[in-house]
Amino acid sequence: MLEEPKRGYQHDNGELPPAKGLEEREEEPVISTSDAVDPVKYFSLLEQSGVAYLSAIIVYLYLHDFKQAQKCYDDCTQVSAFLSSDQSRCASKLLSAYREGDVEEIKRIAQSSIISHLDHAIIRLARKLPTGDLKGIEIDDADEQEALDEDNLV
């Protein structure tokens, strides 16, 4: 029967490195080929995360919660894989169209191929956008800008 490979770094002799504080070896750890990341799986996971982030933003917009959608986008842009994705650009355009109150642009984005590759339930929500008064969103955004204290630089 074949022995299952050990996970983690392995030395040339197949043993796991000693625990920290124990006898140190001079040789560098070698990563075995069984531990290598499959690039297809890796990029698939990155795409899935972008899809999930964009889906969350669409749900927040559908629920008339622009502030939470913007916060979600801001949080997601901390993930470099999302920041450089098509889903990020789509979310940015969607939020910008909401800020500007451009109903036609929102509808155009909702028909885009990026949205078409999302889950069917999310596609249905996106195609119903905008569902609320876009002028209220602009007012909320303006109120938030005025609430900033110019003397507080923290």
Side-chain angles (χ1 to χ4, degrees), residues 93-103 105 134 137-138:
K93 288 178 184 177
L94 194 55
L95 291 170
S96 178
Y98 261 84
R99 247 183 259 102
E100 295 168 6
D102 190 345
V103 173
E105 180 67 5
L134 296 181
I137 290 173
E138 291 177 320

Side-chain angles (χ1 to χ4, degrees), residues 56-72 95 98 131 137 140:
I57 291 166
I58 289 170
V59 169
Y60 284 127
L61 292 174
Y62 182 80
L63 296 173
H64 308 265
D65 196 344
F66 179 79
K67 287 182 183 180
Q68 195 61 35
Q70 183 65 53
K71 183 180 182 312
C72 181
L95 291 170
Y98 261 84
T131 57
I137 290 173
D140 290 345

Side-chain angles (χ1 to χ4, degrees), residues 115-138:
I115 301 288
S116 298
H117 288 90
L118 300 177
D119 184 72
H120 294 290
I122 301 298
I123 295 169
R124 281 193 295 262
L125 295 181
R127 302 273 162 86
K128 293 178 182 177
L129 293 176
T131 57
D133 181 23
L134 296 181
K135 293 182 195 268
I137 290 173
E138 291 177 320

Side-chain angles (χ1 to χ4, degrees), residues 4 14 25 30 32 35-36 44 50 53 79 96 104 107 109 113 117 124 129 132 134 138:
E4 196 170 310
R25 297 184 184 183
V30 176
S32 70
D35 294 331
S44 175
Y53 295 147
V79 178
S96 178
E104 292 305 314
K107 290 181 186 238
I109 294 167
S113 63
H117 288 90
R124 281 193 295 262
L129 293 176
L134 296 181
E138 291 177 320

Side-chain angles (χ1 to χ4, degrees), residues 68-80:
Q68 195 61 35
Q70 183 65 53
K71 183 180 182 312
C72 181
Y73 177 77
D74 293 342
D75 291 345
C76 295
T77 57
Q78 301 302 311
V79 178
S80 60

